[in-house]
Amino acid sequence: MRGLLKLSELPYFEKWIILGFIIGIFIGLSAIAFDFLYRLFYTIFLIDILHLSLPKPLNPTFSYTVNPLLILVVTFGGLISGLLTMLSPEASGGGVDFAIKAYHNRGKIRKRVAFIELFSSSILLGTGGSAGDLGPMGLIGASIASLITEVLGLTPEDIRKAIAIGIGSGIGVIFKAPIGGALLSAEILYRRDFESEVILPSMISSATAYSIYGLYSGFQPIFGIYPYTFSPLRLPLYAILGILIGLTTILFVRIYHEISNMFRKMKVPQYVKTTLGSFLSSILLLFLPELIGTGYGWDYILEAGKINEINTYGIPLLLFLLLIAVAKMISSSFTIGSGGSGGIEAPSFEIGALIGAIVGIIFHNLFPSIVPFIAPFVIIGMLALFGAGAKAPISVMIIVTEMTYSLQLLPGEMVAVAIAYVISGKHTLYPSQFPTRKESPVHRSEYEIPVMLKVKIRQCKLQDVKINPDEKVEKVIELMKEYGLTSMPVVDKNSTFIGIVFYQSIEGKEGRIGDYVIRGVPTVSLNSNLEDAWEVIARTRSSYVIVTEGEKFIGIVSLEEMLKCYEKRIKRKKE
């Protein structure tokens, strides 16, 4: 243990490789605990009490009958989740956004957050709440990583890096996509930038967490191995899908944030908000079982092309799928936006899968030889919407290959997610993201213009200290002693700057001062900054700088006055 406590003294790469393994081990174990609790609550409430049989990835069989008791179960889950998050408000909502906020601001996460998130999210999902598991594991991973680095006595900067590593490793372990998770650690913090220094330790952490969790759940991809081949003829169709996914992302983000803001303004306890949100969501869930839980099983049904097994209540299929997509936006926003402890990522998967299915069906009917099946549109739509909403297009391109064990979807995903990312613009599922590293409080000082470059000479107090070239040497020596100067600027009657005269040049001399002027002395203008002035002072070895406009003398600024301006600007910056 003593060796671990010396971890901060190790070289950078050695330190983070060791930390990557430690963080990965605990995240892998936490993922097992999360999955166990989720399945436990799911079995108790949805299977034993409600007798529901919902589809799962690789097991699309299901049966559902309307049971009003579902409203009570889902609402109960929201109530318990809300009560738990009152012990740790950080665990309310989507999870990942708070972790991103902690990275950019606080630099650490309280010790209790992982424990509260583990139970509050598993109970919410286990009772059928319309949310996902990726967000909770992202926050659990970030919280665990923060705790480990804090216990080991590492620096605030190290704790921040660990938080980013924890986010990506936590999400990647549920995806079963360790490479994508490692990249996500660096990409999810910003809308248009990367935190590249966390990629290496996140690779170690993600691989370790994936290996431990895989021993428990298996290493097979979530949605099975993609069996089809790529066709270049479908690329233009994927581009159209990307456009529609980008527009859908904007709609989803707006609905999610509007509903979140509505609940945020309510002056009631947190558990009342989550109870109300879950109740409103449960009304939709009662008639549309596709909205219950994470929705992964329904995503698989769409991918497998078993759409005919879905009860559309007599509504045309395409219209019904669109209805489900909009209903999922609303139900998940009620659940998570009210403060329910669940992720927004799985809902974005299902919404993207539904839009992909709609587009795939249309193109299948129009071009059956080019689009013989809709599976690629479903998978690409699923991940493109998450990539656009999370502002993580690079990570998603890797995740799609890991989730399908195939490179056949990569070209289409690249086209679709790139277009969706551009169209969605600044609309993000994570408001705590900063556009780039430059805007983040963590890195802002690295990009700031030094204070001396910001302060202009015109902001300093100028002194009108000068002498005429016809002045007698004796009088100038008296003036230098009066002002405490070792030199003085020489200016003619038209205020034209001529040069300066030094005390050592006129000491013991007689006559006109103009005979002893040193010409070609560097000056500054009113628009010059303190850095320019300092360089002139250093070159002339003077205690002031001469200010001119063209050849016209304006005044002098003393070194003391420059320091006052600098300190004033520093004080204002701190305030």
Side-chain angles (χ1 to χ4, degrees):
M1 184 66 184
R2 188 176 179 181
L4 285 177
L5 294 176
K6 296 282 187 179
L7 198 61
S8 59
E9 300 177 7
L10 291 176
Y12 180 86
F13 288 112
E14 287 86 338
K15 175 179 69 176
W16 280 108
I17 287 175
I18 294 173
L19 274 175
F21 279 116
I22 296 172
I23 292 171
I25 290 170
F26 281 95
I27 289 178
L29 294 174
S30 298
I32 293 173
F34 177 76
D35 187 76
F36 173 80
L37 287 173
Y38 167 51
R39 290 176 186 273
L40 175 64
F41 293 130
Y42 183 94
T43 301
I44 293 172
F45 291 101
L46 298 188
I47 296 178
D48 293 344
I49 295 178
L50 296 179
H51 306 292
L52 295 184
S53 176
L54 297 176
K56 300 178 181 64
L58 306 180
N59 182 16
T61 58
F62 69 94
S63 63
Y64 177 80
T65 55
V66 174
N67 185 349
L69 191 58
L70 176 68
I71 293 179
L72 293 178
V73 169
V74 173
T75 304
F76 173 76
L79 170 63
I80 300 302
S81 179
L83 289 171
L84 287 171
T85 57
M86 290 186 73
L87 301 174
S88 177
E90 302 95 323
S92 62
V96 170
D97 190 61
F98 174 79
I100 294 172
K101 184 177 181 180
Y103 173 85
H104 289 298
N105 295 286
R106 295 176 60 187
K108 67 178 182 178
I109 299 174
R110 290 197 298 171
K111 299 177 180 65
R112 70 179 72 174
V113 173
F115 182 77
I116 299 297
E117 179 73 15
L118 182 65
F119 283 92
S120 62
S121 57
S122 58
I123 187 70
L124 183 80
L125 292 171
T127 53
S130 185
D133 50 359
L134 299 174
M137 265 313 300
L139 179 57
I140 291 169
S143 179
I144 288 173
S146 173
L147 174 60
I148 290 171
T149 47
E150 190 177 355
V151 168
L152 293 175
L154 299 180
T155 65
E157 182 182 356
D158 286 336
I159 295 174
R160 273 195 295 267
K161 291 177 183 176
I163 288 173
I165 293 165
I167 296 172
S169 300
I171 293 177
V173 72
I174 299 297
F175 267 134
K176 294 187 178 179
I179 303 175
L183 290 176
L184 198 63
S185 296
E187 192 174 20
I188 203 168
L189 303 170
Y190 305 99
R191 296 203 296 268
R192 302 192 310 272
D193 212 336
F194 257 86
E195 195 67 67
S196 57
E197 59 189 1
V198 305
I199 294 178
L200 176 65
S202 190
M203 287 169 61
I204 303 294
S205 175
S206 293
T208 305
Y210 166 74
S211 299
I212 292 173
Y213 182 65
L215 291 173
Y216 162 79
S217 65
F219 294 97
Q220 70 278 8
I222 296 176
F223 296 103
I225 299 174
Y226 181 77
Y228 307 113
T229 57
F230 169 70
S231 170
L233 297 177
R234 290 198 290 266
L235 271 183
L237 308 183
Y238 295 140
I240 295 173
L241 174 61
I243 294 172
L244 296 175
I245 289 293
L247 297 174
T248 304
T249 301
I250 294 173
L251 177 62
F252 181 35
V253 169
R254 286 182 175 177
I255 290 174
Y256 175 53
H257 291 321
E258 285 297 324
I259 292 178
S260 298
N261 291 333
M262 178 186 73
F263 280 102
R264 196 175 294 117
K265 293 175 182 177
M266 292 183 180
K267 305 298 182 182
V268 294
Q270 181 59 46
Y271 70 88
V272 176
K273 296 180 183 180
T274 55
T275 303
L276 176 60
S278 292
F279 170 73
L280 294 173
S281 177
S282 69
I283 296 172
L284 292 172
L285 271 59
L286 180 63
F287 299 102
L288 299 171
E290 295 85 357
L291 309 181
I292 298 174
T294 62
Y296 293 148
W298 301 104
D299 297 341
Y300 181 74
I301 284 178
L302 295 174
E303 178 193 342
K306 300 180 181 295
I307 297 178
N308 292 332
E309 298 181 12
I310 299 176
N311 182 8
T312 65
Y313 302 98
I315 301 173
L317 178 60
L318 296 182
L319 183 60
F320 183 76
L321 294 178
L322 182 61
L323 172 66
I324 295 296
V326 175
K328 187 67 177 181
M329 295 180 194
I330 297 171
S331 65
S332 59
S333 296
F334 276 138
T335 304
I336 305 164
S338 63
S341 189
I344 196 66
E345 298 78 16
S348 70
F349 270 33
E350 186 171 2
I351 296 164
L354 288 161
I355 299 301
I358 293 170
V359 174
I361 291 171
I362 292 173
F363 286 141
H364 171 71
N365 292 331
L366 293 175
F367 315 109
S369 60
I370 298 176
V371 185
F373 32 76
I374 68 169
F377 289 87
V378 171
I379 299 172
I380 289 174
M382 184 193 315
L383 288 166
L385 198 142
F386 171 68
K391 302 305 167 195
I394 306 298
S395 305
V396 160
M397 288 189 287
I398 303 302
I399 289 171
V400 73
T401 62
E402 294 183 283
M403 286 184 64
T404 60
Y405 274 26
S406 173
L407 293 172
Q408 299 302 315
L409 290 171
L410 185 57
E413 184 65 43
M414 292 171 68
V415 169
V417 75
I419 293 174
Y421 171 78
V422 171
I423 288 177
S424 63
K426 63 181 181 180
H427 295 84
T428 173
L429 294 169
Y430 309 122
S432 295
Q433 286 178 328
F434 281 85
T436 64
R437 286 163 53 93
K438 181 179 179 181
E439 287 82 15
S440 170
V442 177
H443 299 289
R444 191 174 292 154
S445 61
E446 300 173 18
Y447 295 88
E448 282 187 340
I449 300 173
V451 172
M452 290 186 69
L453 293 177
K454 290 183 176 181
V455 180
K456 301 295 184 181
I457 288 297
R458 66 171 64 254
Q459 297 173 258
C460 301
K461 182 180 178 182
L462 276 70
Q463 294 176 279
D464 189 22
V465 176
K466 60 187 178 183
I467 53 176
N468 189 281
D470 294 326
E471 294 282 1
K472 297 296 182 181
V473 169
E474 296 83 356
K475 183 178 179 181
V476 173
I477 290 176
E478 291 177 5
L479 287 172
M480 286 184 178
K481 291 179 179 179
E482 179 183 341
Y483 286 111
L485 300 174
T486 58
S487 65
M488 290 189 74
V490 180
V491 180
D492 65 17
K493 60 182 180 180
N494 296 319
S495 295
T496 301
F497 173 67
I498 300 174
I500 61 174
V501 62
F502 289 93
Y503 178 83
Q504 62 186 16
S505 300
I506 60 174
E507 185 181 15
K509 304 290 179 63
E510 297 179 350
R512 290 176 66 254
I513 202 69
D515 296 334
Y516 303 96
V517 173
I518 304 296
R519 300 175 185 271
V521 176
T523 64
V524 297
S525 69
L526 291 171
N527 289 324
S528 299
N529 53 53
L530 291 188
E531 178 108 349
D532 300 327
W534 178 256
E535 289 179 1
V536 171
I537 286 176
R539 287 167 57 191
T540 59
R541 297 182 181 181
S542 179
S543 60
Y544 64 89
V545 65
I546 298 166
V547 184
T548 61
E549 285 296 327
E551 296 182 352
K552 185 178 180 182
F553 176 82
I554 304 297
I556 67 169
V557 177
S558 66
L559 181 58
E560 181 182 4
E561 176 61 23
M562 288 168 57
L563 290 173
K564 285 182 181 179
C565 290
Y566 178 83
E567 291 170 355
K568 183 178 179 182
R569 183 58 178 260
I570 290 290
K571 182 179 179 181
R572 189 170 66 185
K573 182 180 178 182
K574 290 180 178 179
E575 292 174 350

